[in-house]
Amino acid sequence: MFDRVFKAGDDFKKLLKLLGVFIALGFVCYIFQYYRGLGITGLGRDVSWGLYIAQFTFLVGVAASAVMVVLPYYLHNFKAFGRITILGEFLAIGAVSMCLLFIIVDLGMPHRLFNVLRYPTPNSILFWDMVVLNGYLLLNIIIGWNALDAERMGVAPPKWVKPLIYISIPWAVSIHTVTAFLYAGLPGRHFWLTAIMAARFLASAFSSGPALLILLALFIKKRTKFDPGEEAIQALAKIVTYALIISVFFVLLELFTAYYSKVPGHTNHFDYLLFGLHGHAELVPWTWLSNILAVVALVLLINPNTRKQEKTLKIACFATFFSLWIEKGITLVITGFIPNTFEKITRYIPTIPEVFITLGVWAAGFFILAVLYKIAVSIKEEIGA
Amino acid sequence: MDEKRRDFLKITGACVLGFSILPVLKVSAKQVTQPPEKRPAYKDHPKALHGKRWAMVVDVKRCQEQNKKGECRKCIEACHTIHNVPTIPSVKEMKWIWKENFEHSFPGTAHEFVPEEFKEGPFILLCNHCSNPPCVRVCPTKATFKRQDGIVMMDLHRCIGCRYCMAGCPFGARSFNWWDPKPYLTQMNYDYPIRRRGVVEKCTFCDERLAEGLLPACVEACPAKALVFGDLEDTASEVRRILSKRLSLRRKFELGTQPNVYYLV
């Protein structure tokens, strides 16, 4: 099926070349990091996880969101999603690939990566995260590929794929739950030590992921002969709407607990995010940008007229995606370390090589995604779906 | 034709996978079938110190009085020289033992009316060798682990540098080698390993010295005898005697990690 990629048009090849340039730049910076050490990043003793782990956290959500198309189609027989399940599954493959790459670029000793397998440690949440992420990647590769192959041949997918699909549904929930547990079980990190973390993660994932999927589907609709279908896009838009409402609600719950109890361990971090703390306000503009984008998205999504118009829906989806990217891909992880365990503030600003490595990994993920989508869409076009 | 090519590719793929897994199977089969190798018997140093729950008591007053005579950094210098801990003046600093004031050692405990002399301390901070260590719980490779004698140890050859332990430690006791430490060492102790960049390290209660019957370097170096080291399970130990007589504080006891460094106030 890969042959379709080579037969692709000029525009697609240009896209791959552009992504290739970013991958190459990221790779060069990574080589630099590999030989000099993680010292080339803006990280330090106090803020010891940064951009890489934050991207990882956000993208696990994007990966998990595939379940939002798989579940209605396979459990509720919602036919409209039948056309786009493959897009959801392939998005998951691209997103999990980025997650794994972000973990690898964050390691101080990447060549010792397999120690996690050589010395399996079930009491470590990171061990379980490795298990569920790799499992999810494998599940989506097997399911996506077989479903698409069957579609190409005009037959039903092999029977043994069905149980895997059913397994993939709770599995998707598990990847984001386990990722939340990475944070929610650490004593002394008050910002993360909250029982609602996993629920918050899932809510934000189920709005940011489908928002991206809508944008991708609209792009495909515009640029190819395959139409993912108005009904599917509108159904996704409703999912984004409700998930975003729940996500914002969960954040408000956190704010209530912090500011009504006035326990400093809880308010300090939110103060740092929203207003700045002891003269440090590095993340304040980001937080408010995220908040404003969320409000814009909610207004456009809740109003049925703007939700149904492609133009405003697009704006809403961009706003949702970037709002939640800021929340999980920047502020959530970094703020856990600010103030630190001594209640001191150390600021963290990513360095240029760190940003390029991050862009490189994103480009690599989108490269994988572009190739997979090209295959899927070509087949859809061939069979005239 | 097409079908045959697919079958051929499938079989080839299966073969490649099989052959690449084969060596792994051979190794694991060996481990099961062959009896364990006879290793040379390991004998403890005759003077080695043994304990069940090593702990440290910091007499803040004594340390303070010593510091009044002039800035004292003896414990820090001794530790960092012996263990080749580099001096990196930035957010990427490395430290196993250091000084901190009251407010930051015991966040939330200090108030504005704390005696002036007490505010600055100094409080000597180091790894608490918790009885219930979160760093050990979170490590994905068992590179950090709890020894029988209570010491929370690091296996520097196993650490993958994920820094989960640094997020897990509520005491900020851990340092990561962001750079190669060598250029930042003014002198090197060749009896102790120098780390590579990319691994996490911290105080080990001088396990290498205990094994030779010596007290931790910081304890030995303190001119005021403000650091007392001993076994909390041993009822006759000095640390037990002091703790039963004087009021002591532990950092962030409320988190339940059960720190084993006590501060006399």
Side-chain angles (χ1 to χ4, degrees):
Chain A
M1 294 202 276
F2 268 112
D3 47 344
R4 281 155 189 90
V5 179
F6 302 106
K7 287 178 203 155
D10 282 344
D11 282 357
F12 181 74
K13 281 181 181 155
K14 259 184 217 156
L15 173 70
L16 288 195
K17 270 179 204 156
L18 181 72
L19 291 171
V21 169
F22 277 100
I23 294 171
L25 281 171
F27 188 73
V28 169
C29 290
Y30 181 69
I31 295 293
F32 178 51
Q33 180 187 292
Y34 188 87
Y35 284 103
R36 292 295 309 279
L38 277 158
I40 66 142
T41 65
L43 298 166
R45 200 178 188 279
D46 294 319
V47 184
S48 47
W49 280 343
L51 211 49
Y52 301 151
I53 293 296
Q55 304 312 299
F56 152 79
T57 308
F58 174 72
L59 287 163
V60 174
V62 174
S65 71
V67 75
M68 285 289 109
V69 287
V70 172
L71 188 147
Y73 180 60
Y74 286 102
L75 292 190
H76 301 282
N77 200 23
F78 182 67
K79 289 273 192 291
F81 277 174
R83 299 169 68 80
I84 57 164
T85 45
I86 191 69
L87 300 184
E89 284 152 357
F90 280 174
L91 177 60
I93 295 173
V96 179
S97 308
M98 285 188 255
C99 292
L100 296 175
L101 283 173
F102 274 118
I103 290 281
I104 292 168
V105 298
D106 187 67
L107 290 181
M109 284 278 170
H111 57 283
R112 290 187 187 164
L113 176 69
F114 288 98
N115 279 6
V116 180
L117 292 173
R118 290 171 69 202
Y119 312 105
T121 313
N123 51 276
S124 172
I125 300 294
L126 203 55
F127 167 77
W128 288 109
D129 218 24
M130 182 273 299
V131 172
V132 292
L133 279 175
N134 283 294
Y136 191 64
L137 179 62
L138 205 63
L139 275 174
N140 276 292
I141 292 175
I142 294 171
I143 295 167
W145 202 255
N146 276 292
L148 191 64
D149 203 25
E151 203 173 335
R152 182 175 69 101
M153 310 293 256
V155 293
K159 269 201 183 120
W160 55 268
V161 176
K162 249 319 177 24
L164 293 182
I165 292 169
Y166 291 134
I167 291 170
S168 82
I169 292 170
W171 202 291
V173 178
S174 85
I175 61 167
H176 219 25
T177 305
V178 173
T179 304
F181 284 177
L182 284 178
Y183 301 99
L186 301 178
R189 303 279 177 196
H190 300 295
F191 188 59
W192 298 335
L193 192 72
T194 161
I196 208 174
M197 193 62 103
R200 241 180 97 183
F201 270 36
L202 288 167
S204 73
F206 293 156
S207 51
S208 62
L212 179 60
L213 202 54
I214 290 175
L215 293 171
L216 291 168
L218 289 175
F219 180 77
I220 287 170
K221 186 181 159 191
K222 194 176 156 198
R223 301 299 299 262
T224 72
K225 277 178 246 138
F226 169 61
D227 181 6
E230 185 63 17
E231 195 189 351
I233 287 173
Q234 279 305 314
L236 274 177
K238 278 184 202 129
I239 291 172
V240 175
T241 311
Y242 283 106
L244 185 60
I245 292 170
I246 297 169
S247 176
V248 170
F249 176 62
F250 284 168
V251 174
L252 292 174
L253 294 184
E254 296 265 30
L255 290 174
F256 171 78
T257 301
Y259 286 107
Y260 195 79
S261 72
K262 291 205 190 306
V263 174
H266 292 267
T267 54
N268 278 346
H269 298 280
F270 284 110
D271 278 346
Y272 175 70
L273 272 183
L274 294 166
F275 319 112
L277 189 63
H278 305 314
H280 288 267
E282 291 83 18
L283 292 181
V284 173
W286 288 100
T287 312
W288 286 104
L289 179 60
S290 170
N291 294 349
I292 292 164
L293 286 171
V295 171
V296 169
L298 279 178
V299 169
L300 293 178
L301 286 168
I302 292 173
N303 183 346
N305 293 327
T306 43
R307 189 175 65 230
K308 279 174 190 152
Q309 273 181 40
E310 205 179 293
K311 207 172 168 188
T312 37
L313 177 63
K314 249 190 217 168
I315 298 169
C317 286
F318 268 114
T320 305
F321 188 79
F322 281 107
S323 169
L324 295 172
W325 173 73
I326 292 169
E327 195 209 349
K328 278 204 352 254
I330 296 184
T331 58
L332 185 112
V333 174
I334 298 167
T335 311
F337 294 102
I338 304 172
N340 69 3
T341 54
F342 306 100
E343 287 196 359
K344 284 184 178 175
I345 296 174
T346 308
R347 65 184 209 150
Y348 159 72
I349 307 284
T351 58
I352 289 166
E354 192 179 1
V355 170
F356 271 102
I357 293 173
T358 304
L359 286 173
V361 175
W362 273 95
F366 272 87
F367 191 95
I368 295 171
L369 188 68
V371 168
L372 291 175
Y373 270 24
K374 182 78 208 171
I375 297 169
V377 170
S378 309
I379 285 168
K380 297 265 189 192
E381 284 173 339
E382 280 164 33
I383 60 168
Chain B
M1 248 342 251
D2 199 31
E3 281 308 301
K4 269 188 189 164
R5 194 184 65 178
R6 295 186 108 222
D7 289 342
F8 171 75
L9 284 173
K10 273 181 193 165
I11 293 164
T12 317
C15 288
V16 169
L17 189 70
F19 280 118
S20 47
I21 289 174
L22 194 65
V24 182
L25 289 179
K26 271 185 183 164
V27 170
S28 48
K30 237 186 232 165
Q31 277 171 351
V32 178
T33 50
Q34 286 180 355
E37 286 170 54
K38 219 178 165 194
R39 292 188 186 149
Y42 173 78
K43 261 193 187 159
D44 270 349
H45 193 283
K47 283 187 193 158
L49 296 175
H50 296 284
K52 284 183 183 142
R53 187 178 156 196
W54 290 124
M56 188 174 286
V57 175
V58 181
D59 193 329
V60 180
K61 195 126 208 179
R62 280 191 180 182
C63 179
Q64 212 169 40
E65 269 157 21
Q66 183 68 34
N67 270 281
K68 273 182 199 154
K69 292 177 203 164
E71 163 97 11
C72 174
R73 293 177 52 85
K74 292 259 164 56
C75 57
I76 301 167
E77 278 159 15
C79 170
H80 288 183
T81 325
I82 287 178
H83 298 117
N84 297 316
V85 180
T87 311
I88 304 173
S90 74
V91 293
K92 294 173 174 65
E93 72 169 328
M94 314 276 304
K95 53 191 181 188
W96 286 21
I97 179 169
W98 67 100
K99 291 202 257 185
E100 190 54 86
N101 65 16
F102 183 54
E103 188 193 345
H104 295 304
S105 304
F106 295 86
T109 313
H111 55 78
E112 53 193 308
F113 308 116
V114 166
E116 207 55 48
E117 55 188 76
F118 197 68
K119 267 187 190 160
E120 276 313 305
F123 289 78
I124 300 295
L125 304 190
L126 64 157
C127 170
N128 278 291
H129 296 274
C130 303
S131 293
N132 182 15
C135 55
V136 170
R137 204 181 312 143
V138 301
C139 176
T141 60
K142 301 188 193 82
T144 188
F145 56 97
K146 184 101 183 136
R147 299 202 326 183
Q148 291 284 318
D149 59 1
I151 292 177
V152 175
M153 263 309 280
M154 269 304 297
D155 183 342
L156 297 161
H157 299 281
R158 188 183 283 194
C159 175
I160 59 172
C162 70
R163 309 189 297 291
Y164 199 6
C165 55
M166 293 177 79
C169 176
F171 303 104
R174 292 174 163 269
S175 305
F176 180 74
N177 285 280
W178 300 99
W179 304 110
D180 177 13
K182 273 188 218 93
Y184 297 95
L185 291 168
T186 40
Q187 49 180 322
M188 289 188 210
N189 171 19
Y190 292 102
D191 292 331
Y192 199 83
I194 293 165
R195 272 73 66 194
R196 295 177 64 181
R197 58 170 166 64
V199 293
V200 174
E201 60 182 61
K202 64 169 197 75
C203 156
T204 64
F205 262 173
C206 285
D207 66 298
E208 82 286 0
R209 289 170 61 88
L210 297 178
E212 290 176 3
L214 298 167
L215 283 173
C218 53
V219 176
E220 204 180 84
C222 179
K225 306 247 173 298
L227 303 175
V228 185
F229 182 80
D231 182 8
L232 277 182
E233 299 279 315
D234 175 5
T235 47
S237 67
E238 174 86 353
V239 281
R240 275 291 283 271
R241 192 185 60 76
I242 299 173
L243 290 181
S244 64
K245 281 195 179 148
R246 292 179 60 185
L247 193 63
S248 55
L249 293 177
R250 284 190 297 173
R251 292 171 65 202
K252 300 190 181 178
F253 64 92
E254 74 278 9
L255 299 178
T257 68
Q258 297 168 37
N260 282 310
V261 176
Y262 294 76
Y263 296 86
L264 297 180
V265 289

